[in-house]
Amino acid sequence: MTTTEPALPVSVADTATSNILPGSPYPLGATWDGKGTNFALYSENAAAVELCLFGEDGQETRYPLTEQTAFVWHGYLPAARPGQRYGYRVHGEYAPERGLRFNPNVVLLDPYAKALDGTERFDAGVFGYVPGEEDTVMQPEEQRGAPLGIVIDPGFNWVGDQKPGVPFHRSVIYEAHVKGLTMTHPDVPEALRGTYAGVATEPVLNYLRDLGITAIEFLPVHQHVDDPFLLDKGLTNYWGYSTLSFFAPDVRYSAAARRGDPAGAVPEFKNMVRALHDAGIEVILDVVYNHTAEGNHMGPTLSFKGIDNPTYYRLVAENPRFYFDYTGTGNSLNVRHPQTLQLIMDSLRYWVTDMHVDGFRFDLASTLARGLHEVDQLSGFFTIIHQDPVISRVKLIAEPWDVGEGGYQVGNFPVNWAEWNGIYRDDMRAFWKGEGGLASEIGYRLTGSSDLYQNDGRKPYASINFVTAHDGFTLRDSVTYEHKHNEANGEGNQDGHNHNLTWNCGVEGETDDPEINRLRRQQQRNFLATLLLGQGTPMLLGGDEIGRTQGGNNNAYCQDNPISWYDWQNVDADLLAFTRKLIALRKSHPALHRRKFFSGRTIRGEDVRDIVWLRFDGQEMSDADWNNPQTQSLGMFLDGGGLDDVDAGGQPLHDDHLLLLLSSSYVDLPFRLPELGGCRTWDLLLDTSDDAAEETLDAGQETSLRARSVKLYRCARHP
């Protein structure tokens, strides 16, 4: 193996005079103890490891780590203090045909680095092979394009921080991007826009608090890589699903990093979490443990690939030069290896214990479940999560699919896991699009998808209900476009989903037609009403409540610009008020966020059940109605005395009787209000066709349910 001298001046420390002490194999990473720093790196296949410290001028000092314990290379430097930048050079065989990709010419990022000194620099070199050649040709030139780790002071004043601890069944999740949420907010100081500090400002906190959400689910905040093919087009990986570091908050969203203090991203993130907690809002992170930014065999060598390729990645057994790719990104993490499992668990615990986050949404979680090729819900990953005393107690949400065979696993994750319910999304979109024959599916979705979750020990809140998410159309676009318009992505409009189940209400794109715009406003309210008034855990795509549009782009992953950012200058104030009202209704009525599935049984000898389904003539739906492809309307009666639950103080929960009417028919319907539960009068709480509607009707009277609309009524329960 041949190496070349690096281009920058280097001082290689002699082991006899380097002042490096043996140190400890644990914890992994760089750990400052107030006197010095312990460095520990796992590599079971390396021949030698050098710790590389860098000064402000880029000068490098190398310290060979001669201590090795259970495949962990370690040493202690009394002189290394917070702020010290560092990386590693790892020696060994460069034999891609056997899965080995060691190259000491490449300075590598510590997988356990808690802070990074910047982003990747492709011009400074990031490849273990010679670009333009086969990946079997070892790179002989110095490669310093990977960001360096920074030793941090982990101390932070968490005194007074109280995690909101909102039960899952009372949660309302808000999916947002740290940068997009605040980038154009006029009341956020310009220097803080697009940052963790910007989210922690009072205007943003007040907005989220007034909206009524209980948790914010951030798109990935782990440091990621911007792919060269995007940079060449003047674009970036805005969503961030290309993780480089599982411990470091991305410096791109740090106001401190903009001021020249990249390590300041850590306390800045902590300050944001504390501020959100003070506002009663939990923090959930979208995490990507299924793959990394290093891509396939032709991808860059930034960290894992050069430290111990066979340990961290799933390699093809017959030809370990290549990677199994269940993610569509070039590689899959090797969760079958104990060290990779430890890496993931250490990362999760760190974000809970040190950063105080309240839960995680796991991207392409089916990949993590794979044992050999099949998806196995009893895999080591889920077993260790279930047994962990820290991670098992936070909110765990799976995106229950990947791109591999058998990867669509909605409804199959273990107890204690919630799931993004893609079936809910598709059924609701199809129903409001006007497709028939969906009555039974809508019944299941409105009651927490008991067909998916009731028989495996889980509860209705295991279903994370959503009609829109970051991946796809926004709510406004879903009623404005039937076809994707992704030209700005530079891929010839070939990227993104083609099967969107959306309806443009008669015209593709924006229009001045008042009737079409009225219908679009109503359809947005229909989606929001069914989302927030049904059982399960609702997730709202951030910006949908103010009418955010992406101009028909349904794959804005690379649009770090006004296409993706909130447009705070053009807020749909009426839609925002409607959304706030819906969330308030949901939170004030326990019948709308039950902990248990409906039983359908008679309540304590009464002549009514906890839930009754009705036709528009006020009669109970029959099997024929459920199976009729023409059925496009239904009523859902919820008995306020049939909750079969208690509050936090152990007192029985009761509520008013509620009646939800919905119709996706293109004609108005006369809907007869039922005489159930002793109800004599029904008061209208909400009408998606008229924000200002008021109505009080006697049981047995008819109301006009406008075409494609939702109504919610209440009746005071008489014990």
Side-chain angles (χ1 to χ4, degrees):
M1 180 172 57
T2 303
T3 62
T4 60
E5 290 299 317
L8 294 175
V10 173
S11 171
V12 181
D14 185 87
T15 55
T17 60
S18 64
N19 295 321
I20 189 166
L21 304 177
S24 171
Y26 294 102
L28 290 166
T31 306
W32 186 64
D33 61 9
K35 298 178 181 179
T37 302
N38 190 80
F39 295 89
L41 180 76
Y42 183 96
S43 180
E44 66 183 79
N45 292 294
V49 173
E50 291 177 299
L51 169 66
C52 308
L53 302 189
F54 291 84
E56 292 300 322
D57 58 357
Q59 183 158 335
E60 175 185 5
T61 303
R62 302 182 191 175
Y63 295 87
L65 296 181
T66 58
E67 297 290 334
Q68 186 186 21
T69 305
F71 302 125
V72 177
W73 303 76
H74 52 91
Y76 181 91
L77 279 175
R81 306 184 66 80
Q84 175 65 60
R85 297 186 304 149
Y86 74 100
Y88 289 101
R89 295 178 185 271
V90 182
H91 299 255
E93 288 190 76
Y94 189 82
E97 69 279 1
R98 292 192 286 114
L100 302 175
R101 294 179 179 270
F102 297 109
N103 186 342
N105 297 312
V106 184
V107 176
L108 301 167
L109 174 67
D110 178 6
Y112 278 75
K114 306 301 191 301
L116 275 57
D117 73 340
T119 59
E120 67 284 349
R121 295 183 299 117
F122 287 95
D123 60 332
V126 296
F127 290 94
Y129 69 95
V130 178
E133 303 286 346
E134 291 292 329
D135 64 300
T136 53
V137 180
M138 180 180 170
Q139 172 64 260
E141 303 292 336
E142 187 75 6
Q143 304 287 292
R144 291 195 179 179
L148 298 171
I150 304 177
V151 178
I152 68 165
D153 180 350
F156 185 80
N157 183 11
W158 285 109
V159 174
D161 180 58
Q162 293 289 325
K163 292 192 174 186
V166 180
F168 234 140
H169 72 287
R170 290 174 47 205
S171 296
V172 179
I173 299 173
Y174 186 81
E175 189 195 30
H177 190 287
V178 167
K179 186 172 185 179
L181 174 62
T182 63
M183 194 61 191
T184 67
H185 200 297
D187 298 325
V188 173
E190 188 170 354
L192 304 183
R193 293 177 187 172
T195 69
Y196 309 120
V199 175
T201 59
E202 282 305 310
V204 177
L205 295 172
N206 289 337
Y207 175 82
L208 297 173
R209 186 189 296 112
D210 292 345
L211 182 59
I213 56 108
T214 67
I216 187 164
E217 182 179 303
F218 285 119
L219 269 69
V221 299
H222 292 170
Q223 181 100 8
H224 73 272
V225 168
D226 286 319
D227 309 283
F229 81 93
L230 291 175
L231 297 174
D232 290 344
K233 294 187 291 186
L235 302 171
T236 60
N237 189 338
Y238 174 68
W239 287 351
Y241 289 94
S242 187
T243 304
L244 173 62
S245 173
F246 296 117
F247 290 83
D250 204 311
V251 295
R252 294 171 178 84
Y253 315 135
S254 170
R258 293 179 185 175
R259 299 191 301 268
D261 177 21
V266 178
E268 183 179 337
F269 184 92
K270 292 177 178 178
N271 274 316
M272 178 192 70
V273 172
R274 183 167 58 186
L276 286 164
H277 284 176
D278 287 346
I281 297 170
E282 296 184 311
V283 177
I284 297 172
L285 300 185
D286 194 335
V287 290
V288 187
Y289 293 111
N290 53 76
H291 72 279
T292 79
E294 293 186 301
N296 61 16
H297 62 292
M298 302 301 287
T301 297
L302 299 162
S303 181
F304 308 94
K305 189 180 288 186
I307 292 171
D308 201 340
N309 192 51
T311 289
Y312 289 111
Y313 292 115
R314 292 286 302 272
L315 305 179
V316 177
E318 300 79 19
N319 191 349
R321 174 186 171 191
F322 302 107
Y323 298 80
F324 272 115
D325 181 13
Y326 295 116
T327 65
T329 63
N331 65 59
S332 302
L333 273 183
N334 183 16
V335 292
R336 295 179 300 175
H337 195 287
Q339 177 55 33
T340 306
L341 273 177
Q342 180 181 333
L343 171 81
I344 295 173
M345 295 303 297
D346 286 348
S347 170
L348 292 169
R349 289 191 203 98
Y350 175 76
W351 287 95
V352 174
T353 59
D354 285 56
M355 307 297 254
H356 281 214
V357 304
D358 305 280
F360 304 95
R361 178 264 190 191
F362 292 79
D363 178 65
L364 300 182
S366 292
T367 299
L368 298 171
R370 290 186 180 272
L372 294 172
H373 296 287
E374 74 287 350
V375 175
D376 177 9
Q377 75 166 2
L378 298 179
S379 69
F381 173 73
F382 293 118
T383 300
I384 198 169
I385 287 271
H386 186 78
Q387 295 174 346
D388 189 271
V390 174
I391 308 305
S392 63
R393 297 178 185 178
V394 301
K395 289 182 170 65
L396 302 172
I397 303 170
E399 181 187 32
W401 51 79
D402 65 17
V403 300
E405 181 180 354
Y408 196 75
Q409 293 290 315
V410 174
N412 292 332
F413 276 69
V415 170
N416 292 336
W417 282 77
E419 300 174 13
W420 270 28
N421 191 343
I423 295 175
Y424 177 98
R425 172 200 59 205
D426 294 346
D427 284 346
M428 285 301 177
R429 285 190 178 189
F431 177 77
W432 287 117
K433 185 181 177 183
E435 294 184 10
L438 291 169
S440 59
E441 283 75 13
I442 296 304
Y444 279 127
R445 304 308 147 234
L446 287 174
T447 54
S449 295
S450 59
D451 57 330
L452 300 175
Y453 303 110
Q454 188 170 14
N455 295 323
D456 60 6
R458 288 188 284 177
K459 304 297 183 182
Y461 49 80
S463 177
I464 305 296
N465 298 334
F466 66 103
V467 291
T468 53
H470 68 274
D471 187 2
F473 286 130
T474 66
L475 182 62
R476 175 174 165 181
D477 287 355
S478 72
V479 301
T480 307
Y481 300 93
E482 292 183 15
H483 309 287
K484 64 187 182 185
H485 297 270
N486 299 352
E487 290 78 9
N489 296 355
E491 301 178 39
N493 204 34
Q494 297 303 303
D495 61 302
H497 297 293
N498 293 313
H499 184 62
N500 294 291
L501 291 171
T502 57
W503 179 46
N504 61 21
C505 299
V507 173
E508 183 74 359
E510 300 294 336
T511 180
D512 294 328
D513 187 308
E515 180 55 28
I516 289 178
N517 284 328
R518 181 203 65 77
L519 180 55
R520 287 175 176 175
R521 288 191 295 270
Q522 188 167 310
Q523 285 284 76
Q524 289 179 75
R525 285 161 170 75
N526 290 337
F527 279 118
L528 290 169
T530 45
L531 175 66
L532 288 159
L533 300 178
Q535 306 300 319
T537 303
M539 185 187 77
L540 179 68
L541 172 62
D544 277 355
E545 76 280 8
I546 60 173
R548 187 174 74 86
T549 177
Q550 293 178 169
N553 192 320
N554 77 346
N555 188 35
Y557 77 102
C558 55
Q559 300 298 328
D560 186 3
N561 53 52
I563 291 176
S564 296
W565 303 340
Y566 288 38
D567 182 1
W568 289 107
Q569 300 298 326
N570 293 288
V571 170
D572 185 336
D574 291 337
L575 185 61
L576 175 58
F578 180 83
T579 308
R580 287 172 173 164
K581 179 180 179 179
L582 273 173
I583 294 175
L585 281 170
R586 178 181 183 85
K587 294 168 80 170
S588 64
H589 287 283
L592 296 176
H593 53 263
R594 294 167 54 101
R595 285 199 304 159
K596 301 179 181 180
F597 285 105
F598 293 101
S599 67
R601 295 192 296 270
T602 300
I603 304 166
R604 289 183 294 277
E606 297 180 11
D607 60 353
V608 67
R609 298 181 295 281
D610 56 2
I611 184 170
V612 179
W613 296 97
L614 304 166
R615 302 186 311 209
F616 66 88
D617 63 359
Q619 298 301 305
E620 187 171 351
M621 288 184 66
S622 65
D623 289 344
D625 295 319
W626 286 114
N627 296 320
N628 187 343
Q630 303 304 313
T631 299
Q632 291 182 295
S633 67
L634 64 160
M636 181 175 70
F637 170 84
L638 305 180
D639 190 295
L643 301 185
D644 189 24
D645 203 354
V646 296
D647 62 18
Q651 297 301 309
L653 275 174
H654 299 291
D655 197 359
D656 298 324
H657 298 313
L658 298 176
L659 178 65
L660 183 69
L661 310 179
L662 58 159
S663 172
S664 63
S665 173
Y666 65 92
V667 298
D668 296 351
L669 293 175
F671 210 112
R672 186 177 301 278
L673 302 183
E675 300 182 43
L676 290 172
C679 284
R680 294 185 286 273
T681 59
W682 290 100
D683 296 315
L684 181 68
L685 297 178
L686 177 140
D687 183 349
T688 60
S689 70
D690 182 358
D691 288 352
E694 295 182 359
E695 186 176 62
T696 298
L697 295 174
D698 293 334
Q701 285 188 287
E702 290 183 347
T703 184
S704 178
L705 183 60
R706 192 162 184 177
R708 301 187 177 96
S709 72
V710 175
K711 283 186 173 183
L712 177 68
Y713 291 87
R714 67 174 286 275
C715 167
R717 190 181 66 87
H718 301 287

